[in-house]
């Protein structure tokens, strides 16, 4: 009997198939296929074990005789001896088996498309439930599927690193066919589709994830999945990038909050009373962290940020809020009137006909009612909603929020979760301040002022970081920073960068202001990272790597690498600046000529991406082109009037007039300098 020639193949993934070197598929009975599969996966096996697996319900001698007859018929049929040996028996090592190739790829890397189809080990084989063979098949199928998942996961990461997002997404889709309950794979598919510019596809991936989990596990997605969907829905968060080697040592953040016992007690009292909680204080004082820690102590939290630049665009903040709620329940059934009303600032909800202009106060009031209905319909399971940087709210969004809060309080008594709003002290507009003051005076809201840390709290903070000599360092840090936690962290990071953290000199070698500390960090950035962060600072709100790359005319892959550098340097955190002080430092560092150039690039970018007319107008104005700004301010006025925002419309028309005057003056200057 001649040995198997090179090229014979045994494919166990799928229904099971034996292929001769000639390429001919051979008919193999289920018993022989199981025997070859067992030997391929388990190695040399005693005859009795193999016989008992194949014929569990017959006497031992009969089973052994059946095995002898099976192997004899196989030799005669195939013309080769695939299974040999007296005891144990072995599968011929020259036989090419797909599961062996799978094991090699799983261990050493690489991928073979023939190994990643949807079918499992001997998928068409019917076995007796509860038998040894059934249990063995189940365990092996799980093990082989895990090897395929490892192979697909590694290949998807390689493709993502190379910027081949579409191919990476296909590999993740193959993963999900093998393991549809993997939330990590669902999140990766969402991120990849987002990176491809397919926002709708990313949200569809989230909807599929939610449906699969609800059907199979009767559960909701994890908070990180919901947070990613929220960011994608609002066009913001870049799908997370795996951590790279850090650019330098970073200080560990202390878990929880330090020195806020009194503020926490005030928040608890307001919470129990069902009030809107307002947290205010100077930049970097720890307002947001306190709000999030307190909210998280109550359960699941939805966080939405207002962004710089929102104030000049009607409903800009409310658009972000609405999309965050829709991301929680993308398939929520909303009444037709609610969808039609929300579609005025959520184009994705529009039907075939554009929304009708708002012509009366009653029609305008429907925007408040629609937002209330949306929040009510999408807040199941939420313990709290945190809205950060209230000072950036546009006036229309402020009006909607005021109406919602007035209808919802006292919280805990209705379908709207408690709200916590955070804002910078001294930076509210008179209109914003008046609204909040009235809510506090009426007992609807409770305001908590967050102040600086005292020396003892600073010492506790340093001790929590594991720093030495806290008693000597804490008083100096408290005086230098005024007890501002963010400034304390930045100062300590600067000392760490200088190699002086664990042995600080008597007189701290620190610049006179934190902006100097931040500027030193910016000075260490590469040129590409500096260009990226300056473009992000000009855009201010809702910037993404895709938008920044488009704005700069740079390859997306290069922009993502720069983005990773900025995250390692803690300049950016996802699609936001690490903190407002960093944003201010970046904006202050941009030369005037560069700033004008970037503003004009931002205006063109938003024109290509159907941006808000008011934002485009301001970028043209700041970019030194009042003629273009005039056109866009007029369009902004028309858009505001169509939503019955008459004050905003009047303000935009006034800005258009000013821009027109400026354009005329510029034309006259240019004419006077023209050669005659």
């Amino acid at each position: 009997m001649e040995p198997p020639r090179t090229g014979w193949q045994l494919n166990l993934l799928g229904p099971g198939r034996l292929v001769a070197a000639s390429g001919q598929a051979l008919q193999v009975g289920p018993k022989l296929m199981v025997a070859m599969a067992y030997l391929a996966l388990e190695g040399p096996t005693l005859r009795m074990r193999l016989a008992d697996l194949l014929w569990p319900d017959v006497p031992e001698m009969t089973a052994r005789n059946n095995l002898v007859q099976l192997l004899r018929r196989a030799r005669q049929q195939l013309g080769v001896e695939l299974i040999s040996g007296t005891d144990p028996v072995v599968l011929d090592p020259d036989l090419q088996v797909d599961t062996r190739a799978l094991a090699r790829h799983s261990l050493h890397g690489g991928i073979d498309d023939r190994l990643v189809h949807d079918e499992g080990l001997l998928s068409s084989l019917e076995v007796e439930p509860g038998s040894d063979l059934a249990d063995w098949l189940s365990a092996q199928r799980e093990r082989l599927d895990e090897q395929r998942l490892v192979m697909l996961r590694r290949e998807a990461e390689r493709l993502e690193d190379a910027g081949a997002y579409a191919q990476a997404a296909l590999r993740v889709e193959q993963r999900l066919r093998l393991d549809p309950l993997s939330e990590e794979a669902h999140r990766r598919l969402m991120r990849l589709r987002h990176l491809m510019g397919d926002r709708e596809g990313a949200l569809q991936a989230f909807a599929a994830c939610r449906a699969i989990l609800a059907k199979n596990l009767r559960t909701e997605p994890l908070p990180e999945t919901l947070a990613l969907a929220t960011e994608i829905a609002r066009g913001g968060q870049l799908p997370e990038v795996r951590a790279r080697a850090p650019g330098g040592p970073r200080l560990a953040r202390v878990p929880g909050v330090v020195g806020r016992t009194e503020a926490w007690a005030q928040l608890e009292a307001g919470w129990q009373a069902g009030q809107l909680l307002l947290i205010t204080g100077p930049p970097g004082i720890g307002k947001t962290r306190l709000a999030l820690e307190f909210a998280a102590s109550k359960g699941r939290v939805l966080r939405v940020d207002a962004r710089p630049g929102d104030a000049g665009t009607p409903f800009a903040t409310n658009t972000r809020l609405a999309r965050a709620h829709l991301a929680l329940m993308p398939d929520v059934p909303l009444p037709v009137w609610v969808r039609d009303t929300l579609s005025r600032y959520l184009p994705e909800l529009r039907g075939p006909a554009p929304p009708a202009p708002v012509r009366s106060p009653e029609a305008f009031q429907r925007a408040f009612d629609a937002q209330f209905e949306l929040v009510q319909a999408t807040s199941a399971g939420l313990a709290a909603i945190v809205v950060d940087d209230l000072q950036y709210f546009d006036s229309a969004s402020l009006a909607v929020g005021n109406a919602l809060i007035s209808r919802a309080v006292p919280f805990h008594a209705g379908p709207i979760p408690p709200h916590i709003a955070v804002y910078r002290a001294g930076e509210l507009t008179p209109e914003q301040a008046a609204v909040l003051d009235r809510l506090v005076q009426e007992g609807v809201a409770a305001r908590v002022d967050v102040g600086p840390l005292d020396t003892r709290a600073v010492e506790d903070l340093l001790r929590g970081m594991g720093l030495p000599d806290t008693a000597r360092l804490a008083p100096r840090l408290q005086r230098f920073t005024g007890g501002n936690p963010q400034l304390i962290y930045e100062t300590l990071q600067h000392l760490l960068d200088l190699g002086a953290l664990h042995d600080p000199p008597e007189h701290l070698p620190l610049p006179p202001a934190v902006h100097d500390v931040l500027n030193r960090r910016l000075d260490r950035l590469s040129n590409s990272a500096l260009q990226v962060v300056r473009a992000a600072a000009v855009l201010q709100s809702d910037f993404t790597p895709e938008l920044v790359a488009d704005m700069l005319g740079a390859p997306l892959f290069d922009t993502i690498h720069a983005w990773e550098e900025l995250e390692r340097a803690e300049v950016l955190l996802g699609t936001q600046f690490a903190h407002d002080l960093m944003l201010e430092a970046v904006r202050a560092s941009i030369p005037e000529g560069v700033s004008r150039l970037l503003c004009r690039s931002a205006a063109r970018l938003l024109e290509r991406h159907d941006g808000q007319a008011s934002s485009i107008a301001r970028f043209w104005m700041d970019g030194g082109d009042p003629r273009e700004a005039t056109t866009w301010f007029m369009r902004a006025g028309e858009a505001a009037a169509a939503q019955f925002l008459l004050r905003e419309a009047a303000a935009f028309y006034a800005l258009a007039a000013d821009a027109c005057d400026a354009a005329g003056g510029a034309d006259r200057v240019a004419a006077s300098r023209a050669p005659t």
Side-chain angles (χ1 to χ4, degrees), residues 472-473 476 495 500 503-509:
R472 186 168 71 94
L473 184 57
R476 286 180 289 151
L495 280 171
D503 187 21
E506 188 64 30
H507 299 287
L508 300 177

Side-chain angles (χ1 to χ4, degrees), residues 25 78 106 159 279 292 352 394 466 501 574 590 621 635 644:
L78 303 176
S106 176
L159 291 167
I279 301 179
L292 294 175
D394 63 275
L501 180 60
I590 305 175
M621 198 69 189
R635 295 182 185 180
F644 209 68

